[in-house]
Protein backbone atom coordinates (compact mmCIF):
# COMPACT_ATOMS: atom_id res chain seq x y z
CA UNK A 1 0.00 0.00 0.00
CA UNK A 2 1.34 3.46 -0.87
CA UNK A 3 2.55 5.57 2.01
CA UNK A 4 -0.22 8.14 1.79
CA UNK A 5 -2.93 5.46 1.95
CA UNK A 6 -1.32 4.12 5.10
CA UNK A 7 -1.30 7.62 6.53
CA UNK A 8 -4.97 8.11 5.67
CA UNK A 9 -5.85 4.84 7.39
CA UNK A 10 -3.88 5.85 10.45
CA UNK A 11 -5.59 9.25 10.58
CA UNK A 12 -9.03 7.72 10.12
CA UNK A 13 -8.40 5.32 12.97
CA UNK A 14 -7.20 8.09 15.23
CA UNK A 15 -10.27 10.13 14.42
CA UNK A 16 -12.65 7.23 15.08
CA UNK A 17 -10.91 6.38 18.34
CA UNK A 18 -11.12 10.02 19.39
CA UNK A 19 -14.84 10.09 18.62
CA UNK A 20 -15.35 6.91 20.65
CA UNK A 21 -13.52 8.46 23.62
CA UNK A 22 -15.53 11.67 23.35
CA UNK A 23 -18.87 9.86 23.09
CA UNK A 24 -18.04 7.56 26.01
CA UNK A 25 -16.98 10.52 28.13
CA UNK A 26 -20.18 12.42 27.30
CA UNK A 27 -22.17 9.45 28.52
CA UNK A 28 -20.07 8.97 31.65
CA UNK A 29 -18.72 5.67 30.37
CA UNK A 30 -15.23 4.25 30.42
CA UNK A 31 -13.96 4.35 26.78
CA UNK A 32 -12.13 1.07 27.40
CA UNK A 33 -15.52 -0.68 27.52
CA UNK A 34 -15.93 -0.03 23.81
CA UNK A 35 -14.22 -2.35 21.37
CA UNK A 36 -13.73 -1.18 17.81
CA UNK A 37 -14.39 -3.76 15.12
CA UNK A 38 -12.85 -2.71 11.80
CA UNK A 39 -15.32 -3.85 9.14
CA UNK A 40 -13.03 -4.96 6.35
CA UNK A 41 -15.49 -6.44 3.85
CA UNK A 42 -14.50 -5.78 0.20
CA UNK A 43 -10.98 -4.74 1.27
CA UNK A 44 -8.01 -6.89 0.34
CA UNK A 45 -5.73 -8.69 2.77
CA UNK A 46 -2.89 -6.19 2.24
CA UNK A 47 -5.15 -3.38 3.46
CA UNK A 48 -5.96 -5.43 6.55
CA UNK A 49 -2.26 -6.01 7.10
CA UNK A 50 -1.71 -2.25 7.16
CA UNK A 51 -4.61 -1.88 9.59
CA UNK A 52 -3.01 -4.44 11.89
CA UNK A 53 0.15 -2.35 11.73
CA UNK A 54 -1.94 0.62 12.86
CA UNK A 55 -3.15 -1.27 15.91
CA UNK A 56 -6.37 -2.86 14.65
CA UNK A 57 -6.92 -6.16 16.42
CA UNK A 58 -10.50 -7.08 15.48
CA UNK A 59 -11.97 -7.41 11.99
CA UNK A 60 -15.61 -7.77 10.99
CA UNK A 61 -16.47 -9.63 7.80
CA UNK A 62 -19.92 -10.31 6.44
CA UNK A 63 -19.23 -13.18 4.02
CA UNK A 64 -17.69 -16.46 5.04
CA UNK A 65 -15.86 -17.16 1.79
CA UNK A 66 -14.42 -13.69 1.48
CA UNK A 67 -13.20 -13.87 5.07
CA UNK A 68 -11.69 -17.30 4.45
CA UNK A 69 -9.40 -15.97 1.72
CA UNK A 70 -8.11 -13.18 3.95
CA UNK A 71 -7.72 -15.37 7.02
CA UNK A 72 -5.78 -17.90 4.93
CA UNK A 73 -3.46 -15.12 3.83
CA UNK A 74 -3.02 -13.33 7.16
CA UNK A 75 -3.34 -16.23 9.56
CA UNK A 76 -6.07 -17.09 12.00
CA UNK A 77 -4.13 -15.56 14.90
CA UNK A 78 -3.24 -12.26 13.25
CA UNK A 79 -6.42 -10.71 14.65
CA UNK A 80 -9.81 -11.53 16.12
CA UNK A 81 -12.34 -12.36 13.39
CA UNK A 82 -16.01 -11.54 13.83
CA UNK A 83 -18.78 -12.61 11.49
CA UNK A 84 -21.26 -9.74 11.18
CA UNK A 85 -23.26 -10.87 8.13
CA UNK A 86 -26.11 -13.34 7.85
CA UNK A 87 -24.90 -16.93 8.17
CA UNK A 88 -26.36 -19.51 5.82
CA UNK A 89 -26.72 -23.05 7.10
CA UNK A 90 -24.35 -24.46 4.48
CA UNK A 91 -21.55 -22.11 5.57
CA UNK A 92 -21.89 -22.87 9.26
CA UNK A 93 -19.03 -25.36 9.45
CA UNK A 94 -16.59 -22.97 7.81
CA UNK A 95 -17.79 -20.20 10.09
CA UNK A 96 -17.10 -22.34 13.16
CA UNK A 97 -13.57 -23.01 11.89
CA UNK A 98 -12.83 -19.39 10.98
CA UNK A 99 -14.52 -16.97 13.35
CA UNK A 100 -13.89 -16.05 16.96
CA UNK A 101 -17.35 -14.56 17.43
CA UNK A 102 -20.59 -14.80 15.45
CA UNK A 103 -22.79 -11.70 15.77
CA UNK A 104 -25.67 -12.91 13.64
CA UNK A 105 -27.31 -15.83 15.36
CA UNK A 106 -30.91 -15.46 14.19
CA UNK A 107 -32.73 -18.76 14.64
CA UNK A 108 -32.92 -21.82 16.84
CA UNK A 109 -32.10 -24.03 13.85
CA UNK A 110 -28.84 -22.16 13.30
CA UNK A 111 -27.98 -22.36 17.01
CA UNK A 112 -28.59 -26.12 16.99
CA UNK A 113 -26.46 -26.56 13.91
CA UNK A 114 -23.58 -24.48 15.31
CA UNK A 115 -23.67 -26.44 18.57
CA UNK A 116 -23.54 -29.76 16.72
CA UNK A 117 -20.67 -28.57 14.49
CA UNK A 118 -18.69 -27.31 17.48
CA UNK A 119 -18.94 -30.79 18.99
CA UNK A 120 -17.86 -32.41 15.72
CA UNK A 121 -14.99 -29.97 15.26
CA UNK A 122 -13.85 -30.15 18.87
CA UNK A 123 -14.42 -26.49 19.44
CA UNK A 124 -15.05 -26.09 23.13
CA UNK A 125 -16.55 -22.58 23.05
CA UNK A 126 -18.21 -20.42 20.44
CA UNK A 127 -19.21 -16.93 21.57
CA UNK A 128 -22.37 -15.80 19.78
CA UNK A 129 -24.56 -12.72 19.75
CA UNK A 130 -28.23 -12.79 18.87
CA UNK A 131 -29.22 -10.39 16.11
CA UNK A 132 -32.39 -8.64 17.20
CA UNK A 133 -34.93 -7.19 14.81
CA UNK A 134 -36.53 -4.33 16.72
CA UNK A 135 -38.23 -2.64 13.79
CA UNK A 136 -40.03 -5.69 12.43
CA UNK A 137 -38.29 -5.35 9.09
CA UNK A 138 -39.27 -8.30 6.93
CA UNK A 139 -36.25 -7.75 4.69
CA UNK A 140 -33.72 -8.15 7.48
CA UNK A 141 -32.77 -11.17 9.48
CA UNK A 142 -32.97 -11.11 13.22
CA UNK A 143 -35.06 -12.39 16.06
CA UNK A 144 -38.16 -10.51 17.20
CA UNK A 145 -37.98 -9.20 20.75
CA UNK A 146 -40.81 -11.41 21.94
CA UNK A 147 -39.03 -14.54 20.72
CA UNK A 148 -35.80 -13.78 22.56
CA UNK A 149 -36.52 -15.42 25.94
CA UNK A 150 -37.47 -18.72 24.33
CA UNK A 151 -34.39 -18.78 22.11
CA UNK A 152 -32.14 -17.91 25.04
CA UNK A 153 -33.60 -20.68 27.20
CA UNK A 154 -32.82 -23.15 24.43
CA UNK A 155 -29.27 -21.87 23.94
CA UNK A 156 -28.64 -22.17 27.68
CA UNK A 157 -28.96 -25.93 27.40
CA UNK A 158 -26.12 -26.07 24.88
CA UNK A 159 -22.59 -26.68 26.07
CA UNK A 160 -20.51 -25.03 23.33
CA UNK A 161 -22.42 -21.89 22.38
CA UNK A 162 -21.82 -19.03 24.79
CA UNK A 163 -24.31 -16.23 24.53
CA UNK A 164 -22.27 -13.09 24.76
CA UNK A 165 -24.76 -10.37 23.92
CA UNK A 166 -27.12 -8.80 21.42
CA UNK A 167 -26.55 -7.30 17.99
CA UNK A 168 -28.60 -4.72 16.13
CA UNK A 169 -28.79 -3.37 12.60
CA UNK A 170 -31.36 -0.58 12.98
CA UNK A 171 -33.32 0.84 10.04
CA UNK A 172 -31.10 3.17 8.06
CA UNK A 173 -31.73 6.82 8.77
CA UNK A 174 -29.59 9.90 8.06
CA UNK A 175 -30.86 11.50 11.24
CA UNK A 176 -29.13 9.58 14.02
CA UNK A 177 -31.57 10.92 16.60
CA UNK A 178 -34.21 8.72 14.99
CA UNK A 179 -31.96 5.71 15.40
CA UNK A 180 -31.15 6.43 19.04
CA UNK A 181 -34.40 4.90 20.41
CA UNK A 182 -33.44 1.56 18.83
CA UNK A 183 -30.02 1.62 20.51
CA UNK A 184 -31.64 2.54 23.81
CA UNK A 185 -34.23 -0.21 23.51
CA UNK A 186 -31.58 -2.83 22.80
CA UNK A 187 -29.69 -1.76 25.90
CA UNK A 188 -32.87 -2.05 28.01
CA UNK A 189 -33.50 -5.53 26.67
CA UNK A 190 -29.88 -6.46 27.37
CA UNK A 191 -30.21 -5.19 30.95
CA UNK A 192 -33.41 -7.17 31.52
CA UNK A 193 -31.79 -10.32 30.16
CA UNK A 194 -28.59 -9.80 32.15
CA UNK A 195 -30.67 -9.56 35.33
CA UNK A 196 -31.93 -13.05 34.47
CA UNK A 197 -28.39 -14.35 33.92
CA UNK A 198 -28.81 -14.73 30.18
CA UNK A 199 -25.11 -14.02 29.60
CA UNK A 200 -23.65 -16.40 32.13
CA UNK A 201 -23.42 -13.78 34.85
CA UNK A 202 -21.76 -11.19 32.59
CA UNK A 203 -23.33 -7.86 31.69
CA UNK A 204 -23.67 -8.83 28.04
CA UNK A 205 -22.26 -7.08 24.99
CA UNK A 206 -24.12 -4.71 22.72
CA UNK A 207 -22.97 -4.87 19.10
CA UNK A 208 -24.41 -1.72 17.57
CA UNK A 209 -23.27 1.37 15.72
CA UNK A 210 -21.73 1.80 12.25
CA UNK A 211 -19.78 4.61 10.57
CA UNK A 212 -22.57 7.17 10.56
CA UNK A 213 -24.01 6.48 14.00
CA UNK A 214 -21.38 4.84 16.21
CA UNK A 215 -21.01 7.89 18.46
CA UNK A 216 -24.73 7.73 19.27
CA UNK A 217 -24.47 3.98 19.81
CA UNK A 218 -21.59 4.50 22.25
CA UNK A 219 -23.63 7.11 24.12
CA UNK A 220 -26.38 4.50 24.43
CA UNK A 221 -24.12 1.74 25.71
CA UNK A 222 -22.56 -0.04 22.72
CA UNK A 223 -19.62 -2.26 23.67
CA UNK A 224 -18.79 -3.53 20.17
CA UNK A 225 -19.03 -1.06 17.32
CA UNK A 226 -18.75 -2.12 13.69
CA UNK A 227 -17.05 0.57 11.65
CA UNK A 228 -16.07 0.18 7.99
CA UNK A 229 -16.26 3.29 5.83
CA UNK A 230 -14.99 5.71 8.47
CA UNK A 231 -11.79 3.63 8.71
CA UNK A 232 -11.20 2.28 5.20
CA UNK A 233 -13.06 4.84 3.08
CA UNK A 234 -15.85 4.10 0.63
CA UNK A 235 -16.05 0.49 -0.47
CA UNK A 236 -15.01 -0.07 -4.11
CA UNK A 237 -17.46 -2.87 -4.76
CA UNK A 238 -20.50 -2.39 -2.58
CA UNK A 239 -21.88 -5.78 -1.65
C1 LIG B 1 -20.86 -3.18 6.38
C2 LIG B 1 -21.37 -3.33 7.76
C3 LIG B 1 -20.98 -2.45 8.78
C4 LIG B 1 -20.07 -1.25 8.55
O1 LIG B 1 -20.73 -0.28 7.83
P1 LIG B 1 -20.05 1.17 7.60
O2 LIG B 1 -21.21 2.06 7.33
O3 LIG B 1 -19.15 1.03 6.43
O4 LIG B 1 -19.32 1.51 8.83
C5 LIG B 1 -21.46 -2.68 10.06
N1 LIG B 1 -22.28 -3.71 10.34
C6 LIG B 1 -22.67 -4.57 9.39
C7 LIG B 1 -23.59 -5.68 9.76
C8 LIG B 1 -22.24 -4.42 8.07
O5 LIG B 1 -22.65 -5.28 7.13
Amino acid sequence: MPKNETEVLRENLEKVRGQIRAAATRAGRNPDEVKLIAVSKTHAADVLRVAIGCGVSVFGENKVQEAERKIDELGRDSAEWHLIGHLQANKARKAVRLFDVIHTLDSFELAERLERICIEENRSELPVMIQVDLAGEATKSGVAEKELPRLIEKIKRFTRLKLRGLMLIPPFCDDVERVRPYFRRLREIRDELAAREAFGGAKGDLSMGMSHDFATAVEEGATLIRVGTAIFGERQNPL
Side-chain angles (χ1 to χ4, degrees), residues 44-191:
D46 59 341
V47 177
L48 277 65
R49 194 175 284 121
V50 172
I52 291 170
C54 295
V56 168
S57 57
V58 190
F59 290 109
E61 289 279 344
N62 68 338
K63 293 192 169 171
V64 175
Q65 253 139 345
E66 182 184 336
E68 184 181 30
R69 286 195 296 274
K70 298 176 203 178
I71 295 172
D72 276 350
E73 198 168 329
L74 297 168
R76 180 76 176 66
D77 297 331
S78 59
E80 235 179 73
W81 302 92
H82 290 217
L83 180 67
I84 62 168
H86 176 66
L87 178 56
Q88 288 167 289
N90 62 351
K91 307 270 170 61
R93 186 172 302 275
K94 257 186 191 165
V96 166
R97 289 181 184 154
L98 291 169
F99 289 99
D100 295 287
V101 184
I102 292 176
H103 287 233
T104 45
L105 185 64
D106 59 3
S107 72
F108 178 64
E109 291 67 35
L110 181 60
E112 228 177 1
R113 182 180 291 259
L114 289 170
E115 171 78 6
R116 177 171 51 76
I117 293 172
C118 282
I119 293 168
E120 289 168 6
E121 300 277 328
N122 271 323
R123 176 155 182 180
S124 59
E125 264 195 22
L126 177 62
V128 295
M129 325 263 300
I130 297 177
Q131 182 178 351
V132 185
D133 172 18
L134 289 180
E137 291 178 287
T139 52
K140 273 186 199 156
S141 37
V143 177
E145 184 184 335
K146 66 176 194 320
E147 292 165 19
L148 273 175
R150 217 159 41 118
L151 177 58
I152 290 171
E153 278 315 305
K154 286 177 165 172
I155 293 174
K156 267 191 180 165
R157 291 194 218 118
F158 292 150
T159 59
R160 311 298 171 101
L161 297 196
K162 302 292 173 210
L163 185 62
R164 187 166 144 181
L166 304 176
M167 181 268 206
L168 176 71
I169 305 177
F172 181 84
C173 193
D174 279 329
D175 178 4
V176 292
E177 288 311 319
R178 294 178 61 183
V179 184
R180 189 186 294 276
Y182 291 100
F183 293 146
R184 194 167 285 172
R185 183 65 197 133
L186 196 73
R187 182 188 60 200
E188 288 168 1
I189 296 170
R190 190 274 317 262
D191 289 345

